[in-house]
Amino acid sequence: MSRAAEDPEVAAAGTRPGPAAPGRRGRPRSAAADSAIIEAVLRLIEDGVSIGDLSMERIAREAGVGKATVYRRWPGKSALMLDVMRSLDAQGPRLDGASVRDDLVSLLEFLRRRGLARRSSALLRTVVAHVQTQPELWAEYHDTVVRGRHEALLDVLRRGMANGEIRTDRDPETLADLFVGPLLARALLHEWKELPEGFAADVVDMVLEGVRPGPRAAAG
Amino acid sequence: MSRAAEDPEVAAAGTRPGPAAPGRRGRPRSAAADSAIIEAVLRLIEDGVSIGDLSMERIAREAGVGKATVYRRWPGKSALMLDVMRSLDAQGPRLDGASVRDDLVSLLEFLRRRGLARRSSALLRTVVAHVQTQPELWAEYHDTVVRGRHEALLDVLRRGMANGEIRTDRDPETLADLFVGPLLARALLHEWKELPEGFAADVVDMVLEGVRPGPRAAAG
DNA sequence: GGCTTTCGATACGGATCCGTTCCGTATCGA
DNA sequence: TCGATACGGAACGGATCCGTATCGAAAGCC
């Protein structure tokens, strides 16, 4: 529980009460235990504990659960971590589609408020650190969290290129990095808390208009 | 040894043969052991081993050194890691200062080729992941590697603002993130090898001119 | 009420690590 | 040559972890 409400990136831990077969006999698995375990992992990661320092014993302790209850659901830490990634909520913002510029601001503002908030940024740092040793973990995180937002951003950019609002002589992927990169740099390298308000709109306007002075400096 | 020559970010491990007092008696400490240990840590991190999975035993094994030899120099893993950070070489590129645009390209090109190469990016990912639990580690890395480059970038930007080549209505720190962020996003989120050639110049020109189409799209 | 499965808790053998200590050898200053 | 210190290697007691097993209690089906 605790801070989950403040950081909706990781809201829905999802119930996975094991193979809830209809003809199942005996005491059913506790859905509360499932979410308690996943929530415990997220809480530990949020506190900066790296995956290497995450032991199954510690997870069970933090979740207030017996170790056997964890092993009854997952064969090991890797499998558990994969399900933790799958539990993340990566819903994006609604775009009204009126202005390309406004949609870009909405996307980046959403990223600023949720995607790079305390827990989410800790998660990102932790997962990224294990890219080489556990590529499946990054793959799962990417599929669950990154992919959707990236596609949404590319859609807006392509719309702008069709509109004539965005130059068409560059790769959309590169353009996407121009918008996302600055937020990422701030969140990972400088700030550990929420990025300043207005930062998203600032970045969008500067990337659109360029940092050279001139008539264009007034954002359209 | 090994790949150090390919990635000059981590060239000079520096000799720290303990308190090499002049009146020191007995067999002197081996400078080779010093660099073997530090080099072993860097090699392990390069292979994706996170700090949590780095044990003193494993480090000594990898370095081909007795465990006591490690503990004779450092009281524990934290102190060793700090010296590993201090051993990094963060020399920047020479800037001819003719054009702000060219200096920016030089800085980002240097970052692409060295600062975000294989070993350096693995190091960055690992250190960033432990920001919360070991802030001193990040502080040391920042002082040794990041600060100098950041200052150099700010200098160029301020020169451009005085020149009239860069708009003056924004914080130089924010401007810096616009240039560095896209490379960072690529290196940390997408590519695990070297970034494509020409990427640095592309980013500089697009940030300078903006991504809107028009007469300015031709880089000056 | 029986049967089955899960629950938290505890304990297990085996493994790894920590930080220290000791070994026999190597390498320095005096 | 002698005393001092460092070397790689091995072992130590204590701690933590892994994955499994077992316990009595709880919670479902039939």
Side-chain angles (χ1 to χ4, degrees):
Chain A
M1 334 293 165
S2 76
R3 268 165 300 205
E6 297 179 15
D7 193 349
E9 165 110 348
V10 279
T15 57
R16 48 180 311 289
R24 196 93 171 112
R25 320 215 309 171
R27 177 175 173 175
R29 292 207 178 155
S30 157
D34 284 78
S35 47
I37 294 169
I38 289 189
E39 186 63 26
V41 173
L42 289 171
R43 207 160 44 234
L44 288 170
I45 290 181
E46 176 178 3
D47 290 340
V49 183
S50 95
I51 298 184
D53 294 318
L54 262 187
S55 67
M56 294 297 262
E57 309 221 356
R58 191 169 175 184
I59 292 170
R61 219 181 308 138
E62 174 83 16
V65 147
K67 211 170 22 154
T69 301
V70 183
Y71 279 105
R72 207 171 285 121
R73 290 163 166 75
W74 295 279
K77 193 165 66 173
S78 313
L80 168 56
M81 293 304 303
L82 287 185
D83 265 353
V84 170
M85 297 299 117
R86 282 188 267 264
S87 79
L88 301 176
D89 177 24
Q91 199 179 7
R94 271 203 221 110
L95 307 176
D96 56 9
S99 147
V100 166
R101 184 262 180 196
D102 289 349
D103 279 358
L104 290 173
V105 172
S106 294
L107 284 171
L108 262 60
E109 180 66 14
F110 182 87
L111 204 60
R112 178 185 77 87
R113 295 257 313 186
R114 296 186 166 195
L116 295 176
R118 174 173 165 75
R119 177 178 284 193
S120 303
S121 73
L123 200 54
L124 175 60
R125 285 196 293 272
T126 301
V127 174
V128 160
H130 293 79
V131 153
Q132 297 183 59
T133 48
Q134 311 186 33
E136 328 80 23
L137 189 64
W138 166 257
E140 200 60 53
Y141 178 86
H142 187 273
D143 283 357
T144 306
V145 176
V146 178
R147 185 183 304 282
R149 297 174 184 170
H150 190 63
E151 296 289 344
L153 176 54
L154 287 182
D155 283 347
V156 173
L157 290 174
R158 282 191 283 253
R159 211 180 74 216
M161 292 170 82
N163 271 357
E165 297 189 57
I166 303 283
R167 54 199 285 183
T168 57
D169 58 345
R170 302 296 170 124
D171 183 9
E173 297 281 350
T174 302
L175 294 176
D177 287 336
L178 288 184
F179 289 99
V180 174
L183 269 75
L184 213 61
R186 273 281 164 109
L188 294 188
L189 262 48
H190 302 305
E191 314 259 350
W192 317 121
K193 27 186 188 178
E194 199 172 69
L195 274 55
E197 225 181 304
F199 189 71
D202 258 31
V203 167
V204 168
D205 288 332
M206 302 193 70
V207 173
L208 283 177
E209 308 300 335
V211 300
R212 285 207 196 280
R216 261 202 193 168
Chain B
M1 338 291 165
S2 75
R3 269 164 299 203
E6 298 178 14
D7 194 347
E9 166 109 347
V10 280
T15 59
R16 49 180 312 289
R24 195 94 170 110
R25 320 213 313 172
R27 176 175 175 175
R29 293 206 178 156
S30 159
D34 284 79
S35 46
I37 294 169
I38 290 190
E39 185 63 26
V41 173
L42 290 171
R43 208 160 44 234
L44 288 170
I45 290 181
E46 176 179 2
D47 290 340
V49 183
S50 97
I51 298 184
D53 294 319
L54 264 186
S55 67
M56 295 296 261
E57 308 221 357
R58 189 169 175 184
I59 292 171
R61 220 181 307 139
E62 174 82 17
V65 148
K67 214 175 14 160
T69 300
V70 182
Y71 279 104
R72 206 172 286 120
R73 290 162 165 78
W74 295 277
K77 193 165 67 175
S78 312
L80 168 56
M81 294 304 302
L82 287 184
D83 264 353
V84 169
M85 298 298 117
R86 281 189 267 264
S87 80
L88 301 176
D89 176 25
Q91 202 179 5
R94 272 204 220 108
L95 306 175
D96 56 9
S99 148
V100 166
R101 184 262 179 195
D102 288 350
D103 279 358
L104 289 172
V105 171
S106 294
L107 284 171
L108 262 59
E109 180 66 14
F110 182 88
L111 203 61
R112 179 185 77 87
R113 295 255 313 183
R114 296 186 167 196
L116 295 176
R118 173 174 167 73
R119 178 178 284 194
S120 303
S121 73
L123 200 53
L124 175 60
R125 284 194 294 270
T126 300
V127 174
V128 159
H130 293 78
V131 153
Q132 297 183 61
T133 47
Q134 310 186 34
E136 329 81 24
L137 189 64
W138 167 256
E140 199 61 53
Y141 179 85
H142 187 272
D143 283 358
T144 307
V145 175
V146 178
R147 184 183 305 281
R149 298 175 183 169
H150 190 64
E151 295 289 344
L153 176 55
L154 287 182
D155 283 347
V156 173
L157 290 174
R158 282 191 282 252
R159 212 181 73 219
M161 292 170 83
N163 270 357
E165 298 190 57
I166 303 282
R167 55 198 285 184
T168 58
D169 58 344
R170 303 297 170 123
D171 182 8
E173 298 281 350
T174 302
L175 293 176
D177 287 336
L178 288 183
F179 289 99
V180 174
L183 270 75
L184 213 63
R186 273 281 165 108
L188 295 188
L189 262 49
H190 302 306
E191 313 258 350
W192 317 119
K193 29 186 187 179
E194 200 173 69
L195 274 56
E197 225 179 304
F199 190 70
D202 257 30
V203 167
V204 168
D205 288 332
M206 300 192 70
V207 173
L208 282 177
E209 307 300 336
V211 300
R212 286 209 196 276
R216 264 198 186 170

